[in-house]
Amino acid sequence: MKQTELLSAFLKNLLTITLLLVFGLPWTAAAPLYAQEEPRTAQAVQVSPYLRAQLDSTTGPVSFLVLLRDQPAPDALLARTGLRNGGHLAKATLLYQELTTLAQRTQAPLRAWLDAQGIRYRAFYLVNMLEVEGDLKVVTALQQRPEVGRLVANPRIDQGFQSLPQPPRFTLLAATEAKASLEIPYGLVNTHAADLWALGDTGQGIVIASQDTGVEWDHPALRAAYRGVITSTTTTTVTHVYNWYDAWGVDGRPSRCDQDPQIPCDDQGHGTHTVGTMVGDATKLNDTVLGMAPGAKWIGCRNMRQGVGTPASYTACFEFFLAPYPQGGNPFTDGHPELAPNIINNSWGCPPSEGCDTESLRQVVETMRAAGQMVVASAGNKGSSCNTVVDPIAIYDAVFSVGAHDREGKIASFSSRGTVTIDGSGRMKPDISAPGVAVRSTWVNKGYNTIQGTSMASPHVAGAVALLWSAVPALIGNIDLTAQVLIKSATPVPFNQCKEGATPVVPNNTYGYGLLNALAAVQMAQQPATVTVRVTDEQVAVQPGVSVALVDQLTGYRYTEETIFNGIARFPTVYSGAYTVEITDPVLSTQGVTVGAGTQNQVELERITMAERVYLPLVIQ
């Protein structure tokens, strides 16, 4: 069967296989570290239709993924150990230790069998799975093994993304610009990043990761920001270990790149461009600042070969970012969570043609978020129709997804819109919009290019998070509150293209919550309000343990606390906006109050019966 016929057959069956081609098993909220399926019946485990089609079209071995029945439950682990609200390092260290332990224990019998059969494989722990190279005979044998949960495709597609049946990741608007430009990119002006630099906030102390086509690490506008370059008053040392990983090794590296996979390489240019938008600074070259956070550091991973990746290559880069390890090292034992980046930019998507379905990378990004790492992703270039945010990882709730707008703030025609219907969630996407049309940044061969795509919008947001975290370190690793600050401070753009209402509304599935405003985000984060709720019942303070919720009327986010002594529940960090205070135990009561940003506020709330329920807003402004 030809490759085009194979892809066509897969796409034709996509709607029927969404629940079958599962890359990660659902998480559980139960106490155990891992989720275990019910004992298997006599029926063999499922083989995804895409993998079945591959096996039918060839007699040789193919790459596929073996997902074990026992899968991690990181959120349950953090809750059980009291680290859900802990710092990034503590959470990442615990997750690394527990996930590797689980994978080593549960994979041992299967790996021993594969070794005995002489079958090549690669083990993962971020998802408890193995990448295996085998034929139909191997697949049939694996179907009978008790520890195996599912077998799914991991197709290798050798052509570049320009030839795939999907929109390109970007559009090239200008040839390499050898001539310097003193004009600061409009995206840095529109997002007010430049205003933050004047206040001393440049992203200092923050590390941003890029997984993409790679990075030209020694580009003059990027070299100084590379974490692998350590400069003192007398010497400069370069070390790529723990700062770079190539999921493809030397495979697909062009001749201009070093053939040592431990040395960073960009096989295309796209990755170098996105890193420039995050941290680039060409002022020493009689040029301008190109990046949102020129004071931040970057590390990188090549997750695509000539612009095309696989579920395994994407997972490999995430695994490196959770706990960096040397090229060729053992990720199970050589990882260092203390060297993990704070933020991960993802200017890519994994479409069905690369083997992904709606579940393929969900467990991966949820684990990264649980570890306190901000995962930012481009929404996709499949607009202007609605319901076009369709590929992992942009579709997931755990990911902060970004649409693209132009210099005037108008949404780009190519920018993908929500809602997310591909997984049946109806989730609003994108979360926010940022500059993504005619963006000038760094390119390979020490050059510059002007290109466009949501790939260019995502690094603006990743850079903005670095600015926010350098200005307000208390937010580092707190993904929930960081996301709230970004969307609540965005410049609203009412819209209703995708039938959000009879009139234009915010948020919407075109712009999300609006246009990125880094200055407004920092100002909001620097002026949190404190809300103290005192709950009484017939004027007597309730006992400890009554659940109180503070619900953001714009975003729907719920701050939850329990009453302690004297019926008091305290919310120490709340940002400006309209809220509803709720008590449910089991009756529901609400109360409203207006407070100012940066102030301390008290709310007296009397428990009432369901028949007496009223709704009053709490406004913080």
Side-chain angles (χ1 to χ4, degrees), residues 232-256:
S232 68
T233 55
T234 57
T235 61
T236 296
T237 303
V238 178
T239 175
H240 301 299
V241 178
Y242 305 117
N243 299 310
W244 167 262
Y245 183 78
D246 196 321
W248 293 91
V250 297
D251 188 7
R253 284 191 168 217
S255 58
R256 59 179 166 76

Side-chain angles (χ1 to χ4, degrees), residues 374-395:
M374 186 80 177
V375 180
V376 183
S378 53
N381 302 332
K382 298 182 178 179
S384 60
S385 297
C386 302
N387 310 325
T388 48
V389 180
V390 293
D391 296 327
I393 56 176
I395 63 174

Side-chain angles (χ1 to χ4, degrees), residues 33 95-107 125 332:
L33 167 63
L95 289 176
Y96 176 66
Q97 293 171 345
E98 295 292 346
L99 268 61
T100 53
T101 298
L102 169 68
Q104 286 176 322
R105 175 173 57 82
T106 58
Q107 291 175 10
Y125 66 84
F332 284 73

Side-chain angles (χ1 to χ4, degrees), residues 240-445:
H240 301 299
V241 178
Y242 305 117
N243 299 310
W244 167 262
Y245 183 78
D246 196 321
W248 293 91
V250 297
D251 188 7
R253 284 191 168 217
S255 58
R256 59 179 166 76
C257 290
D258 195 296
Q259 293 309 295
D260 179 357
Q262 185 63 86
I263 298 177
C265 162
D266 186 341
D267 67 28
Q268 201 271 342
H270 184 270
T272 297
H273 194 280
T274 59
V275 172
T277 298
M278 293 188 286
V279 300
D281 186 353
T283 53
K284 293 183 179 180
L285 307 173
N286 297 317
D287 205 305
T288 185
V289 176
L290 299 167
M292 293 283 291
K297 297 293 185 180
W298 68 269
I299 67 173
C301 183
R302 185 168 74 115
N303 66 1
M304 290 178 283
R305 178 187 181 276
Q306 299 294 322
V308 177
T310 67
S313 68
Y314 295 130
T315 302
C317 282
F318 277 118
E319 203 162 84
F320 172 72
F321 289 146
L322 181 70
Y325 63 97
Q327 189 83 28
N330 186 341
F332 284 73
T333 59
D334 298 337
H336 286 266
E338 72 275 12
L339 297 177
N342 304 109
I343 305 156
I344 305 171
N345 183 68
N346 303 272
S347 291
W348 53 272
C350 185
S353 58
E354 292 182 358
C356 278
D357 80 335
T358 59
E359 287 291 297
S360 291
L361 296 168
R362 179 184 58 79
Q363 181 175 325
V364 171
V365 296
E366 287 180 350
T367 301
M368 305 306 288
R369 182 173 180 130
Q373 292 171 285
M374 186 80 177
V375 180
V376 183
S378 53
N381 302 332
K382 298 182 178 179
S384 60
S385 297
C386 302
N387 310 325
T388 48
V389 180
V390 293
D391 296 327
I393 56 176
I395 63 174
Y396 301 129
D397 187 52
V399 172
F400 200 78
S401 307
V402 188
H405 67 75
D406 64 14
R407 183 183 294 264
E408 284 70 43
K410 181 180 179 181
I411 200 72
S413 60
F414 56 76
S415 186
S416 291
R417 276 80 157 162
T419 57
V420 178
T421 57
I422 191 73
D423 62 356
S425 68
R427 183 178 300 118
M428 193 207 80
K429 288 288 182 175
D431 295 290
I432 204 170
S433 298
V437 176
V439 175
R440 180 177 182 265
S441 187
T442 46
W443 199 252
V444 292
N445 295 319

